[in-house]
Amino acid sequence: MYRLFEQLVARLAAPFAGRERRSSRVWPCQCGQSVFFRNSQCLACHSSLGYWPDSHRVGTLLPGPHAGEWWLDGEPEAGALKRCANLDTPAACNWLLAADDPQAFCLACRLNWTIPDLSIAENPLRWRKVETAKRRLIAQLLSLGLPVQPKATADGEGLAFNFIGIDLAGNAPTTGHFHGLITLDIREADDDWREQMRVQLHEPYRTLLGHLRHEVGHYYWDRLVANTGWLEAFRQLFGDERSSYAEALQRHYQQGAPVDWAMAHVSAYATMHPWEDWAESWAHYLHMTDAVDTALALGMDASAMDLDFPPFVQGSLYRPEHPGAVGFLAFVNAWVELSAMLNELSCSMGQADFYPFVLSAPVVAKLHFIHLVVQGAGQGDGSSP
């Protein structure tokens, strides 16, 4: 199995000049042009491209033995492949699946229960934006070794998405997670609507990808923490999830977050309830791993910069004695340096901070806990801490 975090830490530890820039972010087309996760055609030679989730790479597609079948350049073991049926829809999916797979849609697209009404003029573009964010999310979950299983029925196991808008009665959908089903108001794809909601809810940051990462965190809490050996440790770090969610929600929107929320939480919303603290921290863990992986793939390095930040120490971690603690600590401290550099670059363009958050030691402990849960799930032994 491709182990993203182990490779990420190894690349952080290596001298920068010799670092291997291998990640699920940048690949060469057969013509030598760099291509990226979202590409379905090379802009230089116009070759068809596809993303093969089994090896987490985008590659050039060569004509296969039959019409509609393809070989992935440089990966003969993948066998004959076909393109997702959503390639030529507004979703513009560039994922691949085995040519003999009875399904027409790739794994990411099979997670959809409901797509927006495409007869509404704004919805095709909205759907494309949402699917672009969702595919990046699903690819990251797979690269971390997390289980991604399409949900077949309302009461069955697995993950599913509803991307919907206002119904015929004029009611807006309720965004959130319920037993593996993530519902998103399709208006979140509109920049003006999303900014309006960000201001209204006093959020420093709101993106489609961030929203999906948060909601999928609830799903993985149900799957990886609830009714497992991790539960008591979760309660010690995040709080008792058995407290009333409805009362916590009402209190949060009436009173707001405590003034000292940043001492132990990654965001103000994380103070609302232990479930939300987990989901917010989970989303930040995914932000951090994806951004550091991408930065290394692009040759970016902040370690040589004159940034005088006191590093987090091993005692900040949930389990300082864990064999992988040193690697995780290096990752966190690299993220602090990288986010500071990127914040300054954003400011130089007159933009808001790239990462408008400050990590505290208690938050780092929560992130380490999440990391250990993720690593346990990827190795198939996540039932106990």
Side-chain angles (χ1 to χ4, degrees):
M1 178 181 295
Y2 174 62
R3 303 299 300 162
L4 181 143
F5 195 85
E6 283 81 351
Q7 291 202 4
L8 188 153
V9 170
R11 285 151 57 204
L12 282 171
F16 179 71
R19 284 181 184 165
E20 180 189 3
R21 298 183 187 179
R22 178 182 183 272
S23 79
S24 53
R25 292 296 169 258
V26 187
W27 303 267
C29 174
Q30 64 175 358
C31 71
Q33 173 79 16
S34 291
V35 296
F36 301 89
F37 176 72
R38 62 189 179 274
N39 293 150
S40 58
Q41 186 179 53
C42 175
L43 297 179
C45 70
H46 307 294
S47 293
S48 295
L49 305 171
Y51 176 75
W52 179 227
D54 283 24
S55 58
H56 305 283
R57 64 180 288 257
V58 170
T60 307
L61 297 180
L62 307 174
H66 304 101
E69 295 185 0
W70 304 85
W71 302 112
L72 189 61
D73 185 40
E75 196 157 343
E77 63 274 15
L81 303 171
K82 62 182 178 182
R83 309 188 81 171
C84 177
N86 265 337
L87 172 68
D88 296 320
T89 71
C93 181
N94 67 338
W95 283 35
L96 302 166
L97 58 165
D100 59 359
D101 192 321
Q103 300 280 351
F105 296 97
C106 71
L107 173 61
C109 289
R110 291 203 302 272
L111 298 172
N112 290 346
W113 269 21
T114 310
I115 65 170
D117 181 354
L118 299 181
S119 68
I120 297 174
E122 298 85 359
N123 279 355
L125 179 58
R126 288 169 168 169
W127 188 35
R128 176 170 296 196
K129 290 180 178 179
V130 170
E131 289 293 332
T132 298
K134 190 196 75 181
R135 286 194 294 271
R136 191 171 187 109
L137 167 69
I138 301 305
Q140 184 184 21
L141 298 176
L142 292 172
S143 70
L144 287 169
L146 290 165
V148 178
Q149 172 190 350
K151 186 178 180 70
T153 62
D155 57 354
E157 295 292 328
L159 182 63
F161 293 86
N162 279 341
F163 299 133
I164 54 180
I166 295 173
D167 64 19
L168 296 177
N171 301 311
T174 300
T175 292
H177 167 267
F178 184 74
H179 294 307
L181 178 60
I182 294 172
T183 299
L184 185 71
D185 187 335
I186 196 64
R187 291 178 295 177
E188 285 284 342
D190 295 339
D191 295 341
D192 54 349
W193 169 264
R194 198 169 58 253
E195 177 64 10
Q196 177 185 334
M197 295 303 297
R198 186 194 68 78
V199 172
Q200 180 180 323
L201 297 174
H202 307 290
E203 297 174 340
Y205 175 87
R206 190 179 182 95
T207 67
L208 278 171
L209 182 55
H211 206 114
L212 293 176
R213 283 173 170 163
H214 172 100
E215 297 300 342
V216 85
H218 289 298
Y219 167 70
Y220 282 108
W221 188 90
D222 287 346
R223 181 148 186 175
L224 304 179
V225 178
N227 303 313
T228 74
W230 293 106
L231 186 56
E232 285 306 316
F234 166 84
R235 289 171 178 164
Q236 293 173 14
L237 275 178
F238 294 87
D240 193 336
E241 83 291 348
R242 293 169 295 188
S243 61
S244 171
Y245 186 88
E247 291 177 6
L249 185 65
Q250 182 180 24
R251 181 174 59 252
H252 179 78
Y253 284 115
Q254 287 181 349
Q255 302 175 13
V259 293
D260 62 347
W261 64 263
M263 298 295 292
H265 298 84
V266 75
S267 69
Y269 189 62
T271 66
M272 197 269 279
H273 188 273
W275 280 336
E276 298 303 340
D277 193 7
W278 162 274
E280 285 286 274
S281 301
W282 172 278
H284 280 255
Y285 176 77
L286 296 188
H287 289 334
M288 293 162 63
T289 52
D290 197 5
V292 171
D293 184 35
T294 302
L296 291 174
L298 297 174
M300 298 177 65
D301 180 55
S303 62
M305 304 296 293
D306 188 17
L307 299 172
D308 191 14
F309 294 117
F312 288 104
V313 297
Q314 211 157 323
S316 302
L317 302 182
Y318 163 65
R319 284 184 55 190
E321 78 288 354
H322 190 274
V326 173
F328 184 81
L329 194 63
F331 159 71
V332 169
N333 287 323
W335 168 248
V336 172
E337 294 175 339
L338 176 65
S339 60
M341 180 178 72
L342 294 174
N343 282 348
E344 287 304 304
L345 285 172
S346 294
C347 290
S348 72
M349 291 294 292
Q351 298 291 326
D353 281 353
F354 171 85
Y355 186 73
F357 305 93
V358 177
L359 302 181
S360 65
V363 169
V364 169
K366 293 174 183 177
L367 292 170
H368 190 219
F369 176 84
I370 289 171
H371 172 69
L372 294 180
V373 173
V374 169
Q375 293 290 287
Q379 294 165 6
D381 62 353
S383 60
S384 60

